[in-house]
Amino acid sequence: MLAHAAVHTYEMAVPIFILSWLVEFETISLGVTTLPVTSATIGLVVTVSYGLFGVGALPGGVLVDRIGSRRLISFCLAGMGLSYLLLGMAPNMLVVAFALILWGVAASVYHPAGLSLISKGVDERGTGLAYHGIAGNLGIGLGPLTAAILLLFVDWRTVALVLGAPALLAAVYAARADFDETAAVEPVTDGGDENADGSDSKADAGVESLAEFLNQSRRLFAGTFALVFVVVMCSGLYYRGILTFMPELVSELPGFDPVPVGSLLPEPLRSVLSVPAEGGQTLEPATYFYSGLLLIGALGQYAGGKLSDRVPVEYGIAGSFAGLAVLALLFVPVSEMGLGPLLVLGSVLGAGLFVVQPLYQATVAEYTPSGTRGLSYGFTYLGVFGVGALGGGIAGAILQFGSVAGLFLTLAGFAGVASLVGLVLARRQSSV
């Protein structure tokens, strides 16, 4: 939970720093050439960092099956903490870029390591995934909020240093904590122990060579995991597609105009602090709507985890993604009804976005061998964060050349495909 919260705190704090970098830095010196610091160049740096966060999940998954979760989670925490300490001491944009790349590499191993640990070490898997997801949502929502509030009082370097320290402390705890990584894995019987797609869930012992990696990967995708992979890709595309431009979309709606900080303070306090009633620093209601939506997702995580312990995960997948499709179709008409209805829809959407995560995480565990669970979650988060990263680009292109309604119709299509795949999985499972 500590590591999951840290991963998403650092992930979502990066956009908060971008404005400061645009103001402070003018060029990026590469030795042989110099590039101007613009939204495009910073965007490229951030894209590389986030891309490594997704792509690195696959080799991270292979390593989990070889060396265990504890070591990788400790490495992840230490690497993320050091990357933010480096960020806080960065004298130029080139060092900022290096720090972000270091963060992407370190953070990429977390999800296969953490989820493999829960799937093999926790008896009440769904509940474990729920609490794990709640911690992630607290990082997603409170991370950018904390960074934004701190920036009202100190510079971005100090904020980065403050954020980096807890991960180093958590890394020490992770390295010293005593627990059984395979407490929930049943011993192998003479007849073997099969999972939902018929493969031996206990006999496999990880990946030890490139040939075995290719062989295990073929085994995974030859079975029903291929359908599960479609679900996680659709989830990633929906998630990035709807969240990337949410603050911008909401900021253009009535009731979300920037509010000067001074206008919220009584006159005596404004005089003491020398804060003007108009102008100066402003609060962005769209940012707080966005953070609130993500925080409400903690309730969705808990509900999804409990649901995965009580109903077949296939039906949970089908129903939850069908709900997301409906919410996407309702967003534009409801946003035109006023602030109240939009806040209600945003709350439901925030919960719905994260209900699906424990469900597909549990589905991966159901349809993959425990010996290659890390590899399975590596592929899962390659789909969620790697392929899913395309959702932001797709959303941007639709908004540039199409319409807001077209964006949400496309998102509904992603969710609809995932829902249909859930029904296919349920049908196949019932026929076994």
Side-chain angles (χ1 to χ4, degrees):
M1 289 174 67
L2 286 170
H4 197 202
V7 165
H8 291 297
T9 293
Y10 299 145
E11 174 197 7
M12 304 307 288
V14 168
I16 303 297
F17 293 138
I18 289 178
L19 182 59
S20 298
W21 297 337
L22 286 170
V23 172
E24 179 169 343
F25 301 119
E26 295 183 356
T27 61
I28 305 176
S29 177
L30 300 178
V32 295
T33 186
T34 300
L35 299 176
V37 174
T38 64
S39 296
T41 52
I42 291 181
L44 178 61
V45 169
V46 173
T47 297
V48 171
S49 176
Y50 283 169
L52 289 171
F53 179 36
V55 173
L58 184 54
V62 174
L63 287 173
V64 171
D65 293 326
R66 293 294 307 278
I67 66 175
S69 295
R70 177 205 300 273
R71 293 179 183 176
L72 279 185
I73 293 175
S74 299
F75 162 80
C76 169
L77 286 164
M80 292 193 302
L82 290 172
S83 71
Y84 260 65
L85 292 184
L86 178 61
L87 185 64
M89 296 183 289
N92 53 56
M93 194 62 207
L94 187 61
V95 178
V96 168
F98 182 76
L100 293 181
I101 289 171
L102 174 61
W103 173 83
V105 172
S108 68
V109 303
Y110 175 71
H111 284 91
L115 293 169
S116 179
L117 178 61
I118 291 173
S119 71
K120 295 192 293 185
V122 179
D123 288 320
E124 296 184 27
R125 180 189 297 153
T127 301
L129 290 171
Y131 285 119
H132 175 262
I134 288 171
N137 272 94
L138 291 175
I140 288 172
L142 294 179
L145 185 61
T146 301
I149 292 173
L150 288 174
L151 283 171
L152 294 174
F153 306 100
V154 296
D155 66 5
W156 66 269
R157 287 186 173 85
T158 303
V159 175
L161 291 173
V162 169
L163 291 178
L168 295 177
L169 297 176
V172 174
Y173 170 74
R176 295 171 60 88
D178 183 23
F179 53 86
D180 181 2
E181 294 192 27
T182 59
V185 178
E186 297 177 3
V188 182
T189 61
D190 290 340
D193 188 11
E194 294 185 348
N195 62 13
D197 66 358
S199 58
D200 188 342
S201 64
K202 307 294 185 280
D204 296 304
V207 175
E208 298 183 357
S209 66
L210 177 59
E212 189 172 358
F213 166 75
L214 296 174
N215 181 53
Q216 294 286 9
S217 299
R218 282 194 295 268
R219 286 184 59 195
L220 282 175
F221 284 94
T224 45
F225 179 75
L227 294 175
V228 178
F229 191 70
V230 173
V231 170
V232 300
M233 284 193 298
C234 289
S235 179
L237 290 167
Y238 188 102
Y239 177 86
R240 288 297 184 197
I242 205 165
L243 291 182
T244 300
F245 292 97
M246 179 65 75
E248 179 181 345
L249 293 174
V250 171
S251 67
E252 298 174 357
L253 298 174
F256 288 91
D257 296 327
V259 178
V261 173
S263 68
L264 302 175
L265 302 176
E267 175 57 35
L269 186 58
R270 285 204 306 268
S271 299
V272 171
L273 299 177
S274 300
V275 176
E278 300 294 334
Q281 291 182 318
T282 61
L283 298 179
E284 304 290 336
T287 300
Y288 295 99
F289 174 87
Y290 180 66
S291 295
L293 181 152
L294 295 173
L295 282 172
I296 289 173
L299 300 177
Q301 288 274 9
Y302 184 79
K306 287 295 186 181
L307 192 62
S308 69
D309 277 338
R310 287 166 171 74
V311 303
V313 290
E314 299 86 358
Y315 287 108
I317 289 287
S320 58
F321 276 101
L324 286 178
V326 172
L327 290 171
L329 294 174
L330 289 175
F331 189 89
V332 172
V334 170
S335 67
E336 296 172 351
M337 296 179 183
L339 182 60
L342 179 60
L343 291 177
V344 173
L345 179 66
S347 299
V348 178
L349 177 61
L353 269 176
F354 295 95
V355 162
V356 302
Q357 292 190 3
L359 288 166
Y360 71 63
Q361 290 163 359
T363 304
V364 172
E366 291 286 338
Y367 284 88
T368 59
S370 67
T372 53
R373 192 62 50 75
L375 175 63
S376 304
Y377 281 119
F379 274 117
T380 297
Y381 281 89
L382 174 63
V384 172
F385 292 129
V387 177
L390 298 174
I394 292 171
I398 293 174
L399 291 173
Q400 179 69 33
F401 301 106
S403 64
V404 175
L407 169 61
F408 283 94
L409 182 62
T410 302
L411 296 174
F414 292 145
V417 170
S419 180
L420 289 175
V421 173
L423 292 175
V424 171
L425 287 170
R427 183 180 180 86
R428 293 184 61 155
Q429 181 65 9
S430 64
S431 64
V432 174

